[in-house]
Every structure is written in structure tokens, then in C-alpha cells.
Amino acid sequence: MSITLEDPRVIEFDVRTDEMLVNMGPQHPSTHGVLRLLLRTDGEVIYEVTPHIGYLHRCAEKIGENLSTPQWIPYTDRMDYLAGMNMNLGLALAVEKLVGMEVPEKAMTLRVIIAELNRIASHLVGMGAYGLDLGSFSPFLYAFREREIILDLFEEACGARLTYSYITIGGLTHDVPNSITIPSGLAALTRRSPNLKLSWLEALEMFLSWLEPRILEYHTLLTENAIFIKRTAAIGVLSREKAISYGCTGPVLRGSGVDHDLRRDGEKIYTRMYAGYDFEIPVAPFKKAPPEAILGDNWCRFYVRMMEVVQSIKLIRQGIQKYAKAEGTYRVPYKMTTKLPVAEAYLETECPRGQMGFYIVGNGEDKPLRARAKSSCFCNLSVTSELCQGCLIADIPAIVGSLDIVMGEIDR
Amino acid sequence: MSPADIHQQLVRQFGDQITGANVTALDPWVEVAPAAIVEVATYLRDDPALQFDALNDLCGVDYFEPDAKKAAKFAHQPHLEVVYHLYSYSLKHHLKVKVKSPRWKNDQAGELPEIPSVSKVWLIAEWHEREAYDLMGITFTNHPNLRRILCPEDWEGHALRKDYAFPLEYHGIRGQ
């Protein structure tokens, strides 16, 4: 029996769907700052995502042209404000490359310790906030409890908790203190007396041995969580070729299977800091990945960050050992009014979110002719429209969160 | 491959389109004529001996000294440069490519100079060129979507130009 149009069992659907424009942000909590995404959707399905950036734009590069390079360091703190130390390090190394400056071994060892400690703090926020985006509240609280101790330690070392300006041209502004009172958070967690006096490095060591076993707990809470895997695995897949062409760096690049880390593959002025250290570079695909996960998806990008925390702990431990034997001082002086040569230098360093580049053009004066900051998040964000095509609205926070962006660095 | 070899290969391939080089600088660079930049960029990306698959950075530099007293001592002729920092993931080598252009098209102040866009060669160039247009005032021809990216659409001027005049007022907000 054939069914005809007149057949009463045939229901004609005459529901026309229009495209809809949805504004996400610039004050949406899951966009990690002031990012506005303009979504063109058909029902729940995304056709196009247009990121609108610039809400935090301060034209830091213009400011940099009107200051001498040491004076610009506090402005780099405010770029990626979750990893200020790594930003300071990037600029300091670029200027050292330009003027051909040698840094003592002790300063290099301290720089490794400080930069890796900030990488842990930054990845902790990345992990906690990502859980929050996907509706899991508790990892955020644990991540901030741990980060608090790192900030306490930074405060003891340089006096600031967020905008450090600690790593400077020629070394660091201070040596780490020999005697501090144990940070109250660390005392409470490790059940020590709050009046305990110890050296900064001992407190750091104590924190690391407390943090290391906690990473397993984060894996139980997030990485192996069935809901988390459902929200991240096989979503937002970024191919290796696209990742390279879009200029993605850091965990986003390694999550797509490119084995590249500037701490190993970078320029000599940067890699010599890490010479003699034993560490691995986590690159997707992973043996421990759930069967649903595929190369270059949200889960892989997240897992790269988690594995990097383990490697950073390993690096800091070796740094503490080296510090005891390191020669030289923590800084060679660099005058505020030092004239830059008529030359130019570009240097990229491996920051928690990717490769941050500083390009300084000198012109025989103390102020550079051009001070350029190439942002890693800027490039990482540019893949959003590519990744979000065809996914659901609910996947947008999962994809943007997995890129782990900081708007201060994108807008500069 | 050493920077000098890369330069030699490019000269063999493109002749006088390669307008200069400094292979002993801190970051060795090769200068390319503006009209040939897309062709050279495609070659740099696709040639098996070069394989520059990544554009690390693209930015503009304004060589100009607005202060008349200092201008006499200024080491450069006034001009604009677009600087491309290239990297090869497979061969692990770097190259800097420069394109020089006059500060204004036809020397008419306010008319933006034109340089062909490389956004078809490296996808990230699309955003970097929008930024260079926004802040440095360079028009990239054949760009799919050349709009301001960091400043608002109705902003006047290009902030990283050395002779940029700071606005006195923007939508009722007083300037300096």
C-alpha cells in the first residue's frame, strides 16, 4: 500500500527555521574575561563564530616605545596576568639577546624554578576554570587552594602576588629569602606550626611534596570523570596541519600531536637555561586516553596541561638541587638608561599558554624604536571559528575553555 | 640550511625580487619586493628544502622620527616595514622576511600603503594583518576581511605610527 499526500497519516512539517544571531559575552563567565563571541546558529547548531576582541586593549606596544626596556617589564606582567613571571622572562631574554648580555648560572637556575612554579600556578587555574566551565565546581576550589600557596611563596620572594616584575634584565630583582615564616596555607595543609621558620626553598620543597600526590586526585575528579569525558572527548578536533597554519602553540599544538617545545627546541639563549635538566614533553596521543578521545580534541589539550604540571614539579626539584651548587649572583646590573644597539632581536619563549614572542628594535637610544609583543593566545583564539563549526552551543565553553585563553595577553 | 644558503636559493629563484639581505644579523633576514611577497611566501612554505610551515609573527615597524631636532641623527630613511618571522617545524630553522614600503601611498599623508596579503599562505596571517592594519595603518590587498581588530571600528588613526595624534575626545570621553 502506497502512502499518498492525501493520506491522513502523513504529517507535513512546515516549520521554517531561521538563522539566529546569538551574542555570547563580553561579560559571559565562561569566556574567561572580556571576549565577545558572535554566534550564527541554526537552532542549537553553530554555523559560524566570530570572536570580537580588544576590550582590554591598552596599546602596550605603544607604551613600550615610550619607555626604556626595564621600565616596560611591569607592563608585561599585565599581559598574561596568570603567568606574569613567564612574561617577564620573555622580555628579559629578548633584551639580553639584543644587547648580548650574559646571565650568571645562579640567576638562570632561579629563573627556571620561578618560571616553572608560575607554570604550575597557571595550569592549576586553567584546570580549575575548565572544570567550572563544564559544571564541575570542586576542582576549582582545590586548584585555588594550591595556587594560593604558590602566590604566598611569590609574595615572600618578590613582594607581589600577581604582577611580579621579579625577573628582570640581567637576572632577578632579589635572591630568594633565606628565612621566612611558613605561609599560613601551607602550615595548615601540612599541619606544621604557623610560626615555623624555614628557607624559601625548603618551603617550596615542602609544597611540592604536598602537591605531587594531589595530582592523582585531580585526575579522579576531572580527567577520568565520565561526564567530563563526554563533554570533551572528540569535540573541537584540531588537525596537526591546521594547528600549525593557524600559528597555535603550547598545549594546543602539542594536543594536536606536534612534538615541539621551546624549552628543548628553542633558541640557544633560552634552551641553555634548561640544559642538564631531565624532563619530558607530553605530546598527544596518550596511552591513558579514554577510548572516545581522538587526537587534537579538547580532552587531549586538557591532558597535556595536566602532564606538564608533573614535569614542572620535576624541573623545580632539579632546580633546587642545582641552586645549592650554582655559581655567580642572582643578577648582573643593567642600567635603566642603557642605550640599545641599532639592531633588532626577536625571541620566543615557552609560556604556559604557548610561545610568547618579544621583538625589540633598537635605535641607539634607551627607548626602543619598536617594542612588539606577539601573543600566543591571540593565535590560539583564531582557531575558534574553525573548531566551533557544526558543534552545539553548549560545546562553545568546552572548546574556548580548552584553548585556555587570557584576554589581557590577547588584547595587550 | 644556513641563512646564506636560503638567501642564495631565493636569489636563484626570484632574481631581483629579492632586494636585500643580512645573513649575519642576530636574526638573519631577507628583504623581498612588495609585489612578489605572496609568490615568495608560497615558495618558502612549499619548497622541500625550506618548508617554512609556520608564521610565528607578522608585524609592522614604522621607521620615522617625528621630532625635527632628532631626525637629522636618525639612522634610517623614513619608511614602513612588514616583518614576517618564519619557522619550520620539520626542519627546525628560522627566517625573517622583510617587506619595505613608503610610509604613505604616493606620499599623500593619510593614504595607506598597500602590501599583498599572505593570509592564503598561512591562515594566522589573517589576524596578524588585521592587527597591523589596525595599529600600523597598512592596507593588505586581497585580504578576506580587513577590519580593525583591537580598536573599535570608528577609531581614527593608527596608534603605532610615530606621528599618531592622540585623540582629544572619543564618544564624549575626554582624552589627555
Side-chain angles (χ1 to χ4, degrees):
Chain A
M1 195 182 80
S2 67
I3 299 176
T4 60
L5 272 180
E6 286 77 43
D7 195 299
R9 283 172 299 179
V10 175
I11 307 157
E12 195 188 334
F13 282 98
D14 188 22
V15 187
R16 281 191 29 242
T17 54
D18 275 334
E19 279 182 4
M20 193 168 45
L21 284 176
V22 182
N23 237 325
M24 210 168 148
Q27 281 91 19
H28 196 278
S30 76
T31 54
H32 293 252
V34 277
L35 167 67
R36 175 176 161 228
L37 296 170
L38 190 61
L39 319 177
R40 195 159 63 84
T41 68
D42 181 359
E44 275 279 300
V45 181
I46 309 279
Y47 276 161
E48 194 186 356
V49 176
T50 320
H52 288 259
I53 59 175
Y55 292 89
L56 274 183
H57 182 53
R58 298 143 283 181
C59 215
E61 296 175 6
K62 186 81 175 176
I63 298 173
E65 289 175 9
N66 292 300
L67 297 171
S68 71
T69 39
Q71 288 174 317
W72 198 36
I73 285 185
Y75 291 86
T76 61
D77 280 324
R78 286 146 181 89
M79 288 178 189
D80 184 351
Y81 40 74
L82 293 177
M85 296 289 192
N86 300 72
M87 298 284 119
N88 298 164
L89 179 62
L91 177 60
L93 282 171
V95 176
E96 283 159 16
K97 178 179 172 185
L98 179 64
V99 299
M101 199 169 177
E102 288 297 320
V103 174
E105 193 193 343
K106 190 170 183 180
M108 285 206 273
T109 317
L110 262 182
R111 280 177 170 187
V112 170
I113 296 176
I114 296 289
E116 294 305 319
L117 193 56
N118 209 168
R119 191 184 308 274
I120 295 177
S122 167
H123 282 340
L124 282 173
V125 180
M127 175 207 81
Y130 194 37
L132 204 59
D133 288 345
L134 301 180
S136 165
F137 192 66
S138 35
F140 185 72
L141 299 176
Y142 291 118
F144 268 67
R145 179 186 65 183
E146 270 74 296
R147 178 173 176 262
E148 184 69 19
I149 300 172
I150 299 182
L151 296 192
D152 283 341
L153 287 171
F154 282 156
E155 192 181 357
E156 293 289 353
C158 70
R161 292 174 63 83
L162 195 70
T163 51
Y164 314 103
S165 308
Y166 184 37
I167 296 176
T168 186
I169 299 158
L172 302 97
T173 54
H174 306 81
D175 203 347
V176 287
N178 275 329
S179 171
I180 61 167
T181 313
I182 185 168
S184 55
L186 187 59
L189 288 172
T190 54
R191 293 165 202 269
R192 306 288 162 108
S193 150
N195 303 320
L196 180 68
K197 295 268 185 212
L198 70 180
S199 82
W200 192 87
L201 289 170
E202 280 164 5
L204 175 60
E205 184 93 56
M206 195 187 279
F207 167 67
L208 290 181
S209 37
W210 184 82
L211 174 71
E212 207 167 15
R214 297 298 173 285
I215 293 170
L216 268 180
E217 294 179 9
Y218 309 146
H219 283 313
T220 325
L221 269 172
L222 273 181
T223 324
E224 293 158 10
N225 182 327
I227 302 170
F228 181 82
I229 292 174
K230 273 224 152 102
R231 292 293 308 274
T232 55
I235 291 172
V237 181
L238 178 64
S239 72
R240 184 193 152 94
E241 290 71 30
K242 278 272 153 66
I244 290 178
S245 188
Y246 271 107
C248 295
T249 45
V252 180
L253 184 72
R254 292 190 282 277
S256 291
V258 182
D259 189 3
H260 187 264
D261 188 314
L262 287 181
R263 287 175 289 174
R264 185 194 62 199
D265 307 319
E267 292 187 35
K268 199 166 166 261
I269 188 167
Y270 183 53
T271 50
R272 68 176 180 190
M273 276 171 49
Y274 290 91
Y277 286 84
D278 170 36
F279 67 107
E280 287 157 34
I281 291 155
V283 182
F286 297 104
K287 280 195 195 120
K288 283 197 174 166
E292 300 93 321
I294 41 181
L295 184 64
D297 64 356
N298 292 348
W299 192 90
C300 288
R301 287 193 280 275
F302 170 80
Y303 199 64
V304 168
R305 289 195 188 94
M306 296 297 284
M307 298 313 284
E308 279 187 12
V309 172
V310 180
Q311 296 303 320
S312 291
I313 293 177
K314 208 167 141 187
L315 276 165
I316 297 174
R317 288 234 165 92
Q318 297 171 49
I320 294 174
Q321 304 253 316
K322 282 185 187 244
Y323 179 81
K325 286 174 271 167
E327 286 169 12
T329 61
Y330 61 93
R331 180 167 71 154
V332 285
Y334 179 86
K335 266 198 189 154
M336 198 83 99
T337 52
T338 307
K339 296 215 178 339
L340 299 172
V342 186
E344 44 194 273
Y346 179 75
L347 186 74
E348 290 198 343
T349 53
E350 189 74 34
C351 291
R353 283 172 184 75
Q355 300 173 10
M356 181 81 191
F358 283 95
Y359 177 46
I360 310 284
V361 182
N363 190 32
E365 291 180 41
D366 53 341
K367 292 167 189 168
L369 180 80
R370 177 83 163 95
R372 157 88 175 152
K374 175 252 166 184
S375 156
S376 52
C377 295
F378 184 87
C379 305
N380 289 349
L381 181 68
S382 71
V383 291
T384 339
S385 57
E386 182 87 28
L387 290 186
C388 294
Q389 260 166 29
C391 75
L392 302 177
I393 292 183
D395 290 335
I396 297 241
I399 292 173
V400 174
S402 78
L403 298 174
D404 191 20
I405 51 169
V406 164
M407 293 311 290
E409 189 192 321
I410 293 174
D411 294 341
R412 284 157 287 149
Chain B
M1 227 176 159
S2 79
D5 293 342
I6 297 176
H7 176 230
Q8 285 307 316
Q9 186 177 341
L10 286 175
V11 169
R12 271 200 302 279
Q13 188 73 22
F14 293 101
D16 54 4
Q17 302 287 6
I18 309 298
T19 46
N22 183 347
V23 290
T24 52
L26 271 178
D27 301 314
W29 53 266
V30 171
E31 191 193 316
V32 178
I37 181 64
V38 179
E39 216 185 319
V40 175
T42 315
Y43 178 77
L44 283 169
R45 184 193 63 183
D46 294 339
D47 187 74
L50 303 171
Q51 295 188 37
F52 285 105
D53 45 7
L55 176 68
N56 273 349
D57 187 23
L58 184 160
C59 69
V61 186
D62 185 8
Y63 286 90
F64 181 65
E65 178 54 68
D67 189 341
K69 276 182 203 160
K70 287 188 191 168
K73 278 192 201 161
F74 193 62
H76 311 268
Q77 285 293 318
H79 68 277
L80 274 185
E81 255 174 30
V82 179
V83 184
Y84 307 77
H85 288 100
L86 310 182
Y87 180 66
S88 165
Y89 279 106
S90 35
L91 302 176
K92 299 199 189 298
H93 57 186
H94 296 262
L95 184 70
K96 179 150 79 179
V97 175
K98 287 185 174 191
V99 171
K100 285 188 184 168
S101 132
R103 295 191 73 241
W104 303 109
K105 192 183 169 189
N106 306 328
D107 282 332
Q108 296 279 311
E111 284 204 27
L112 301 184
E114 288 175 358
I115 288 175
S117 160
V118 294
S119 54
K120 298 276 185 313
V121 186
W122 299 284
L123 292 168
I124 184 60
E126 183 179 334
W127 275 36
H128 278 321
E129 286 176 347
R130 277 178 70 187
E131 193 190 325
Y133 162 73
D134 185 357
L135 298 180
M136 196 55 86
I138 300 164
T139 305
F140 290 93
T141 51
N142 292 328
H143 188 282
N145 180 19
L146 195 67
R147 289 183 295 128
R148 285 183 182 271
I149 190 166
L150 293 171
C151 296
E153 300 266 310
D154 58 351
W155 194 260
E156 278 176 25
H158 303 277
L160 286 179
R161 287 287 184 125
K162 292 285 180 188
D163 48 3
Y164 172 71
F166 284 90
L168 296 174
E169 187 262 332
Y170 177 73
H171 288 284
I173 308 163
R174 261 199 338 185
Q176 42 178 259

